[in-house]
Amino acid sequence: MIIDGHNDLVLHCWRGEPTEHLDLSTAEAAGFAGGFFALYVPSPPTPDPTEIPYAVPLPAPIPHEEAARIAEELFAALCALPVARATSADDFRSGQVTAIVHMEGAEPIAPDLSNLENWYGRGLRSIGLVWSRPNDFAEGVPFRFPASPDTGDGLTAAGSELVRACNRLGILVDVSHLNEAGFWDVAAASDAPLVATHSNAHALCAASRNLLDAQLDAIRDSGGIVGVNFAVTFLREDGSLVPDTPITEIVRHVDYLVERMGVDHVAFGSDFDGAVVPVELGGASGLPRLVDALRAAGYDDGAVAKITHDNWLRVLRATWH
Ligand code: ZN
């Protein structure tokens, strides 16, 4: 059974576009049991960087009212999918795809948090404070390579309030897409395990979206978790957009994170249908090849179970209540 930290299937469904990585009818047979399904209010698309180094500017903010309207449509698209929706870790089972309702970028939440409980009541269980753009709560990290994630200011007062409100309600707070200052502000404000749903090791791939060793240490010390992102641009040492990247690049990040944090703090955060992933993996139907690669690298049954699902379940139990 594989629980995954991030996919963008809902965005494709909302746009009426075909999906590339996640075909629910075949994903189930490959062991995909779901995970975080993003409600992402898109910024205007920018072309993928084709040259190294790159430095994509932060996109313009999206006003709350507009984001709230689009989020309703995205949520309706998620509810139309043939998947269960999780409000408890016990909702996950093999042979069934189960979705955690995750907001990637908190723009649909009112700055005074007045609609947060309503969203919780409808099943929202995870919020990434930002996508890579500024909003009322924090400043996202721009896409840059090679570059530090230390790119700007941390959380606003409303951002710290949102973290505390999420702690109170039992909503997971995701630090992926935050800049470094925002990460440390979440670490200071939150009493829950720190979670990066889809980020990698900066020491192996110096993209601004990846996590520094000190951040990894803080995640470990909080009992938290990192979902390894399968995007080739966040895996490869050269940061290049090369689809023909081997699955062993994913294993390389798993190895590093396990070495740094311990096997209890590493999981998958595929970014399926939101990024270019290794052709050798293909999509969710290729997940058994990734599990085989972990076994070939020396991970035993217990370690594979932790990385593929047990670690996510532990963090969900510690966070939701
Ligand atoms: Zn993302």
Side-chain angles (χ1 to χ4, degrees):
M1 174 163 91
I2 292 164
I3 298 176
D4 174 57
H6 191 89
N7 77 68
D8 282 303
L9 179 64
V10 172
L11 180 65
H12 290 265
C13 296
W14 175 68
R15 283 174 167 162
E17 292 172 354
T19 65
E20 192 182 351
H21 303 137
L22 252 185
D23 174 349
L24 292 176
S25 58
T26 59
E28 229 169 59
F32 181 78
F36 295 72
F37 281 56
L39 306 180
Y40 163 63
V41 177
S43 283
T46 51
D48 286 319
T50 52
E51 278 176 24
I52 304 290
Y54 62 81
V56 182
L58 280 175
I62 296 182
H64 161 64
E65 291 75 14
E66 181 187 345
R69 179 178 59 74
I70 294 170
E72 291 300 327
E73 297 177 10
L74 292 165
F75 183 59
L78 171 54
C79 292
L81 291 173
V83 299
R85 292 197 299 280
T87 54
S88 157
D90 297 331
D91 291 336
F92 285 94
R93 45 187 58 93
S94 62
Q96 167 189 302
V97 176
T98 301
I100 297 166
V101 182
H102 167 73
M103 202 175 264
E104 185 176 34
E107 288 89 348
I109 302 297
D112 65 0
L113 313 187
S114 53
N115 64 347
L116 182 65
E117 289 197 26
N118 181 269
W119 269 105
Y120 178 83
R122 294 193 296 161
L124 181 72
R125 288 296 180 275
S126 175
I127 297 180
L129 300 184
V130 284
W131 183 71
S132 289
R133 69 187 167 224
N135 64 24
D136 289 315
F137 304 103
E139 189 176 300
V141 71
F143 296 98
R144 295 178 183 168
F145 183 97
S148 156
D150 185 13
T151 57
D153 292 339
L155 303 195
T156 64
S160 296
E161 279 302 315
L162 178 54
V163 171
R164 284 189 284 269
C166 286
N167 284 171
R168 267 199 308 279
L169 288 167
I171 296 175
L172 183 149
V173 175
D174 177 18
V175 300
S176 288
H177 287 281
L178 271 174
N179 62 19
E180 191 187 356
F183 174 93
W184 293 115
D185 285 346
V186 170
S190 180
D191 58 18
L194 294 171
V195 175
T197 57
H198 58 308
S199 295
N200 291 340
H202 195 274
L204 299 189
C205 169
S208 52
R209 269 278 283 107
N210 287 341
L211 297 160
L212 304 172
D213 286 345
Q215 295 176 295
L216 299 177
D217 294 348
I219 290 169
R220 174 199 62 214
D221 293 345
S222 74
I225 195 167
V226 175
V228 172
N229 193 316
F230 302 168
V232 296
T233 49
F234 302 151
L235 289 169
R236 297 172 60 91
E237 190 170 11
D238 64 8
S240 294
L241 186 67
V242 179
D244 192 13
T245 291
I247 284 177
T248 48
E249 280 294 291
I250 300 173
V251 178
R252 193 170 74 95
H253 281 263
V254 170
D255 284 345
Y256 184 87
L257 296 169
V258 167
E259 176 80 13
R260 185 86 201 178
M261 299 192 292
V263 73
D264 290 338
H265 305 285
V266 185
F268 295 151
S270 70
D271 222 339
F272 281 149
D273 286 311
V276 174
V277 308
V279 169
E280 188 189 357
L281 183 69
S285 61
L287 285 168
R289 288 194 285 281
L290 174 56
V291 173
D292 288 345
L294 286 180
R295 291 190 193 283
Y299 293 91
D300 63 15
D301 287 350
V304 168
K306 285 181 177 188
I307 293 166
T308 54
H309 58 275
D310 277 342
N311 289 339
W312 273 127
L313 293 174
R314 183 196 78 242
V315 167
L316 295 178
R317 286 197 180 96
T319 305
W320 293 350
H321 46 73

